[in-house]
Every structure is written in structure tokens, then in C-alpha cells.
Amino acid sequence: MTTNFHPSMAERAIGRELRRWRNDAGLSLTVACKRAGFSAATLSLTENALKPFDPLDIMLLGRVYELPNHVWKQTVKHAETAASERTQNANVPHNSVELNAARDVDDAYLEAVTICAFGVDLIPRFLQTPEYRISATALGCPTYPADCPERTAAQQARWTDSLTATAGRGPTVKALISRDAIRRVVGNPAITNAALLQLIRLSEIETFTVQVTEGKPLPESSYLHLSFPHRQHSDAVYVEGGGNARYIEDPTVCQLVGQSFRALQHAALSPAQSIEVIAETASTMTDGGD
């Protein structure tokens, strides 16, 4: 039943919401399954959006986790809308199920096995320190206002842990950052310096590569190209800029973005040269004062 099921990012967000319910309730997969009368396989597939959602299952989980009726009813509505869209247009992915891409991507990139990121005017959001990210609001970045410093710090810790995972289990990260983004002072020189030093530290990880791009033409918007571990989870491109943030899930577009990214990599400074540039820029943040 699940072989040909390829969930959209909106549907994957629903699965993550169900997992968040269980975690907030403090229940293990085993205990939650026992209370709901599910098998562990069924609940795991549901939380990972590897099978179509059954609204009745969502309702039952909402009651098991003792959620207010309006909470689980809203998620049931989202699941029904997603299922209806899939029935009407089986080959067309949708994002209309009230998916806030700017909020969802913070969970999505934690699940990715490969991330190709391009930062046109800022360090890519998943590589920012909490202070750098919060300071970005002052620059008029419209996708940041809802950021919570505590949540951001917690996610940053989870992200760093995932990058440093042993035995090859960590994600592969390839970051391209424009020279202008490296030089841009966000918040104040000390905040920017800390973010640049973090890039240098991350570059010591075997699965992490950062390169500095310069010259024209460069993409006008920052983006993340995300690949996921499950074969049923198609790639997605998260684009941030121009006053909004959105996912692109069309396979052809994702493939073209991948080709463009590799071309930019080829033209960029080498990883070693890039780290030198980042280190030199970081030093100016401390030597130059404010």
C-alpha cells in the first residue's frame, strides 16, 4: 500500500506533528502503541509519513495524548485536505495545507541526509548561531519574526549533534556562501564573528564542506536543497527571499537546482581557500571594533 506513496512536505509536517504530540506527552513508541491499540510499525510509518494518513487514527492519537479537541481536529482537517488534493491530482505535490515553510524547515533539515545550501546575503539559517539568527530580524528578514531564542538554541544543539554523529551517520552538508554574506555584519561584529568561527569549526567535520562564492551571476535567493533517507520522501528545495519562504517539490526543478549548485561549487573558491577567507573576515570583526 505504501510503495507508491510519496508524501508532500505538507504531509511530512503532519507526521512530525504527530511525533511531537507523543514526545510532548512523554510517551515512548511502545507505550503510545499500547494505549492506542496500534502496532509499533503502524505508528512509526504514520509519524514518518510513509503511509497515507487515516483521520480516525489521528483522532485516536489526539485522545490518547489528551489534547484539546480543537488541536487534533485541526490536524485531521489538514490530513483530509492533503488526501483530497492527492486524489484529485495524484502527480502534483501541494503545499496548501496551511504549511508554514519557514517554520517547518527547521524540523525538516534535521531529518535530511544531504543538504546543499546557498546563502546569498546571510549565512544559511541552519548554520547560524542563535544570536545571529535572532539579530537577522533587524535586517527585515520576513521569515524570522516567530523565532524563539530558546527553541533556536535547542535546535542548534540538536543540529550540531547530528553533524558530529559518528560512524558515518551524520548528514552530508555542502554550503556555498557569497563573499558579501560572509562580510555582512549581523547584529554586531561579535555576533557575526561567532557565527563565522562556528563555520570554521564545522569545516573540520569530514561530512561538512563550505565554499565561498564571488562574482556574478549568483542566485538571487538563498535556498536549501534537502534529500531524505526514505525513498518515498522526495527531494525538496526550500527558497527564502523576496519577502517569503516556500518549498519547491517538483522533481525537475530540484534536479535543475542540483545542477546549478554543482556549477557554483566548481566556480567557487576551494574549501581550503574559503576557510582562509572566512578566518580573515572573522579577524576583522574583532580587530575592526564597531
Side-chain angles (χ1 to χ4, degrees), residues 31-95:
V31 172
C33 290
K34 183 177 180 180
R35 294 187 182 181
F38 294 161
S39 68
T42 295
L43 185 53
S44 179
L45 290 172
T46 300
E47 290 184 349
N48 287 285
L50 295 175
K51 63 184 289 292
F53 292 107
D54 185 334
L56 292 177
D57 289 347
I58 296 175
M59 177 185 70
L60 179 57
L61 289 172
R63 291 178 173 173
V64 166
Y65 302 142
E66 300 182 350
L67 298 172
N69 287 351
H70 74 274
V71 173
W72 61 258
K73 284 182 177 179
Q74 183 180 47
T75 302
V76 166
K77 180 180 178 181
H78 291 174
E80 290 175 336
T81 302
S84 176
E85 289 181 340
R86 180 172 297 282
T87 300
Q88 294 172 13
N89 299 283
N91 296 320
V92 181
H94 292 268
N95 279 328

Side-chain angles (χ1 to χ4, degrees), residues 263-275:
L264 286 171
Q265 273 187 304
H266 183 73
L269 298 179
S270 70
Q273 292 172 322
S274 298
I275 292 303

Side-chain angles (χ1 to χ4, degrees), residues 4 16 28 43 55 58 71 82 95 103 109 121 138 145 147 155 166 182 203 209 234 244-246 255 265 268 272 285:
N4 297 318
R16 283 190 288 271
S28 67
L43 185 53
I58 296 175
V71 173
N95 279 328
R103 182 169 58 237
Y109 68 65
D121 52 8
D147 281 349
Q155 285 189 311
T166 58
I182 295 296
S203 71
T209 303
S234 303
N244 59 63
R246 62 193 177 97
Q255 184 177 18
Q265 273 187 304
M285 296 294 171

Side-chain angles (χ1 to χ4, degrees), residues 116 176 223 225 235 237 251-265:
C116 295
L176 292 172
Y223 64 82
H225 186 172
D235 288 4
V237 173
T252 301
V253 174
C254 290
Q255 184 177 18
L256 291 174
V257 170
Q259 293 174 355
S260 174
F261 186 87
R262 288 188 289 274
L264 286 171
Q265 273 187 304

Side-chain angles (χ1 to χ4, degrees), residues 24-277:
D24 290 346
L27 299 180
S28 67
L29 191 70
T30 301
V31 172
C33 290
K34 183 177 180 180
R35 294 187 182 181
F38 294 161
S39 68
T42 295
L43 185 53
S44 179
L45 290 172
T46 300
E47 290 184 349
N48 287 285
L50 295 175
K51 63 184 289 292
F53 292 107
D54 185 334
L56 292 177
D57 289 347
I58 296 175
M59 177 185 70
L60 179 57
L61 289 172
R63 291 178 173 173
V64 166
Y65 302 142
E66 300 182 350
L67 298 172
N69 287 351
H70 74 274
V71 173
W72 61 258
K73 284 182 177 179
Q74 183 180 47
T75 302
V76 166
K77 180 180 178 181
H78 291 174
E80 290 175 336
T81 302
S84 176
E85 289 181 340
R86 180 172 297 282
T87 300
Q88 294 172 13
N89 299 283
N91 296 320
V92 181
H94 292 268
N95 279 328
S96 61
V97 193
E98 299 184 25
L99 174 62
N100 184 326
R103 182 169 58 237
D104 180 74
V105 73
D106 290 329
D107 293 316
Y109 68 65
L110 287 168
E111 298 179 354
V113 292
T114 303
I115 303 177
C116 295
F118 174 76
V120 62
D121 52 8
L122 294 172
I123 294 173
R125 64 187 288 138
F126 76 108
L127 297 176
Q128 298 169 0
T129 62
E131 295 78 11
Y132 184 106
R133 181 167 179 175
I134 299 305
S135 296
T137 59
L139 300 177
C141 301
T143 62
Y144 288 81
D147 281 349
C148 168
E150 292 79 9
R151 180 174 184 269
T152 300
Q155 285 189 311
Q156 186 68 40
R158 290 169 60 200
W159 170 242
T160 303
D161 288 344
S162 71
L163 273 182
T164 56
T166 58
R169 292 193 299 271
T172 297
V173 177
K174 302 174 183 179
L176 292 172
I177 308 176
S178 74
R179 189 181 284 265
D180 289 343
I182 295 296
R183 291 173 172 171
R184 187 171 190 177
V185 176
V186 176
N188 59 50
I191 288 175
T192 305
N193 175 68
L196 295 176
L197 292 179
Q198 176 172 268
L199 286 177
I200 295 173
R201 288 193 294 270
L202 291 175
S203 71
E204 298 175 357
I205 300 171
E206 183 179 356
T207 55
F208 183 96
T209 303
V210 60
Q211 292 177 258
V212 174
T213 65
E214 52 188 348
K216 300 293 181 181
L218 292 176
E220 296 181 358
S221 299
S222 299
Y223 64 82
L224 304 179
H225 186 172
L226 307 173
S227 299
F228 301 92
H230 298 295
R231 289 181 298 175
Q232 291 165 241
H233 289 179
S234 303
D235 288 4
V237 173
Y238 169 84
V239 181
E240 185 174 277
N244 59 63
R246 62 193 177 97
Y247 283 121
I248 299 175
E249 302 179 57
D250 181 88
T252 301
V253 174
C254 290
Q255 184 177 18
L256 291 174
V257 170
Q259 293 174 355
S260 174
F261 186 87
R262 288 188 289 274
L264 286 171
Q265 273 187 304
H266 183 73
L269 298 179
S270 70
Q273 292 172 322
S274 298
I275 292 303
E276 289 183 6
V277 169

